[in-house]
Amino acid sequence: MPRKKEASERARAARSGRVASRSRDAVWKHPPRRIEASECITCDTCLRNCPPEFGAIVDWGLDVVIVPELCSGCPVCVLVCPVDCIYVDEAWTPTGDELWNHVELTAGPGRGTAS
């Protein structure tokens, strides 16, 4: 199996584990990000660019939200956001069951879970 495919499968398995445990990776040093809904234009650019090994950004009704337990704090979404509405979330709170259930239902190939 090519190395890139192996790495991708390991990343998907790691994300699946974080979804199952509903917890952040203990080795992540940076706090997660958050999207300020009042500033967001819901262009989904952040969602499309969030690395699949994290898959931290999801459509949630009319909003796009970051699941902090899945967010490593990397700057990819910040760099692509056209309106600069993504911030560090030092005071993040655990994600509720309703959003976790949505994450589990909408996960699929390309969003960090095995097919």
Side-chain angles (χ1 to χ4, degrees), residues 9-92:
E9 287 180 9
R10 281 195 306 273
R12 287 182 181 155
R15 182 187 185 274
S16 293
R18 288 189 299 278
V19 170
S21 69
R22 297 181 176 192
S23 62
R24 288 189 91 225
D25 193 316
V27 300
W28 290 343
K29 303 296 182 207
H30 301 289
R33 307 284 177 167
R34 69 174 174 80
I35 297 171
E36 181 57 48
S38 66
E39 300 172 16
C40 180
I41 60 172
T42 320
C43 66
D44 289 350
T45 302
C46 58
L47 185 147
R48 291 189 311 275
N49 285 275
C50 182
E53 61 266 28
F54 305 124
I57 304 175
V58 297
D59 280 319
W60 181 241
L62 298 176
D63 296 320
V64 179
V65 299
I66 297 176
V67 177
E69 292 88 348
L70 300 178
C71 178
S72 73
C74 83
V76 173
C77 59
V78 175
L79 296 172
V80 299
C81 179
V83 294
D84 297 322
C85 69
I86 302 173
Y87 302 93
V88 170
D89 191 2
E90 296 276 356
W92 68 277

Side-chain angles (χ1 to χ4, degrees), residues 95-110:
T95 302
D97 287 338
E98 190 176 2
L99 181 54
W100 275 118
N101 292 337
H102 177 73
V103 168
E104 291 167 349
L105 286 173
T106 59

